Amino acid sequence: MKKRFIPIALLASAALVLSGCSSSSNDSGSSDGAQDGAGQTINVWLMRGTQPDMTDFYKEVSDEFTKQTGATVKIEEVPWADAKTRFQTAIAGGTTPDVAEIGNTWTPEYADAGVLLPLDDMVKKAGLENDMVEGLKDSGVYKDELYGMPFYTAIRALMYRSDIMTELGLEAPKTWDDIITVGNAIKAAHPEMITFPVPGDAEMSAYPWIWGGGGEVATENNGEWTSELDSAKSREGIKFFTDLALKHGFSTQGATTWKETDILDNFANGSVAMAVQGSWTPNAIFEKNPAMEGKLAATTIPGKTGGISPSAVGGSHLGIFDTTKNKELSFEFVKLMTSGDLAKKFVDETGFFPGQKSLLEPALESDNPLVTGFAKQLIDGGAAVPVTPTFGAVQAKKTTQTMMQAILSGQKSVDEATSEATKEMTDLLNGNN
């Protein structure tokens, strides 16, 4: 049974109906049920990745929370790179925060571990149950209970230097062959640039090429998972992507250990021509280097012979840990961040897509070339990584990244690296770790 695509294409029509009708389109998410929290404090972890500086926004959120509840909220930013370790340590020591942003692939894992509180009753009481993006909501459900409140939706597409394309009379690539043709033209005209970096420590940058080649990351049958990274079609996609570095010279040796943040930094300093990047990265790039504004655009990741290579629909949930001493106050914070004006302001400032249907329509109707490509990828080319609590173990072990780095460094062939990764991933997905 294949579990790749999510029913996110249904959201466009749903958003038209729901826009302006949901309770989340009200003011800042206040409600008659707000708690009298004077003298109380809740602790919140929000993740720090490649979005712009959110210090001022979080100050605004804190002030509004105190205004509504009388309580204080302490927001701590946790780097994504450290988050898994931080969560594991906190869970083991019983020192988890009241509320935390949780990557959508991790929520089932923590729900299965019994450290998150179910949210259904509080969500229904707040009238928010019908305003959640379905794909993101689904990944927050475990055994028919909602444990992760949709916070924001994220997608990766192909971002490129539109000014360089215009200068050379090129169009955005529509096939894999086009990527090579366009890449060679850019490489010849701008040898000082990194034409198409292939990052070795960026898991989600690898999966589109596996799916685009017709392969699968893993499939499930009667509760048993099997990784298919070593299938002929998956290997074809991995080889195409790694050959951008090894055969065509579009990347750089340093990118073997790059994370997505490294690609962002190099886009910001003007040294990257095109790469797989997230919908949230342009604002961060412009914050680092305002001179880049007007020089970037995005398009869908090309399919092998046309169409779209699917990209994992990611995003985050907000979860409440079972160690909280005040679940009502904790949910007031969750509600504040996922409904009303502050939810809209968050996605406006970061470039993420909203986790609420009522806020999705304006994003889909944008004519901004940095929004339309990501929006089309989200609606027409969104996919899901294996939806199972054990996928968090795969991510913690960095199975995919280790495979990519072994190929890019020349330590292993595609066949060797994918064979080893397939075995490890299959074991981890089935809890044999």
Side-chain angles (χ1 to χ4, degrees), residues 176-418:
W176 288 5
D177 285 345
D178 287 349
I179 291 176
I180 305 305
T181 300
V182 169
N184 282 329
I186 294 174
K187 181 181 176 183
H190 290 279
E192 77 285 0
M193 297 188 73
I194 304 169
T195 304
F196 199 132
V198 181
D201 198 9
E203 171 192 16
M204 297 299 173
S205 296
Y207 295 147
W209 312 101
I210 293 169
W211 289 323
E216 295 288 347
V217 177
T219 54
E220 179 263 341
N221 185 32
N222 294 325
E224 284 290 316
W225 285 91
T226 302
S227 173
E228 297 188 10
L229 294 176
D230 62 348
S231 72
K233 290 181 178 180
S234 294
R235 282 173 169 170
E236 181 181 10
I238 293 168
K239 188 174 189 307
F240 173 80
F241 189 41
T242 54
D243 271 355
L244 295 181
L246 300 175
K247 180 179 178 181
H248 302 290
F250 293 168
S251 188
T252 174
Q253 185 62 36
T256 300
T257 58
W258 276 12
K259 297 177 172 64
E260 289 185 335
T261 49
D262 297 300
I263 296 180
L264 183 151
D265 289 341
N266 280 274
F267 254 123
N269 67 28
S271 61
V272 168
M274 56 181 169
V276 174
Q277 280 282 266
S279 54
W280 58 94
T281 58
N283 287 353
I285 289 171
F286 301 149
E287 182 179 75
K288 289 174 177 288
N289 184 4
M292 290 301 295
E293 291 200 47
K295 297 180 179 180
L296 298 176
T299 188
T300 54
I301 302 171
K304 180 181 175 183
T305 58
I308 303 174
S309 286
S311 180
V313 175
S316 283
H317 299 129
L318 290 179
I320 300 176
F321 279 91
D322 64 344
T323 51
T324 185
K325 291 182 171 61
N326 195 324
K327 71 176 183 179
E328 290 80 13
L329 267 181
S330 295
F331 186 73
E332 287 299 321
F333 180 84
V334 170
K335 185 170 62 174
L336 185 68
M337 292 293 286
T338 59
S339 62
D341 293 343
L342 288 174
K344 181 179 185 304
K345 187 168 184 178
F346 178 83
V347 295
D348 287 345
E349 291 197 8
T350 60
F352 290 117
F353 287 97
Q356 303 77 39
K357 291 178 181 178
S358 58
L359 296 178
L360 188 60
E361 180 194 358
L364 300 180
E365 290 186 341
S366 173
D367 59 1
N368 184 330
L370 267 174
V371 175
T372 54
F374 289 113
K376 184 171 178 58
Q377 182 82 50
L378 175 67
I379 297 301
D380 296 333
V385 295
V387 181
T388 168
T390 54
F391 191 70
V394 174
Q395 294 188 299
K397 195 72 178 288
K398 291 196 169 186
T399 301
T400 302
Q401 295 95 311
T402 299
M403 174 189 74
M404 290 294 294
Q405 290 176 353
I407 297 168
L408 291 169
S409 65
Q411 294 177 358
K412 292 182 175 69
S413 67
V414 170
D415 286 2
E416 292 170 335
T418 54

Side-chain angles (χ1 to χ4, degrees), residues 54-109:
M54 302 299 289
T55 303
D56 291 343
F57 175 77
Y58 291 151
K59 173 65 164 58
E60 182 179 351
V61 169
S62 299
D63 291 344
E64 183 63 27
F65 181 75
T66 299
K67 177 182 175 182
Q68 290 190 20
T69 68
T72 299
V73 58
K74 292 183 178 178
I75 298 175
E76 179 183 354
E77 287 190 294
V78 177
W80 274 114
D82 302 331
K84 195 71 175 180
T85 300
R86 287 285 301 276
F87 277 128
Q88 290 171 335
T89 301
I91 290 170
T95 57
T96 46
D98 297 278
V99 178
E101 176 184 345
I102 305 171
N104 68 315
T105 60
W106 298 353
T107 304
E109 176 187 359

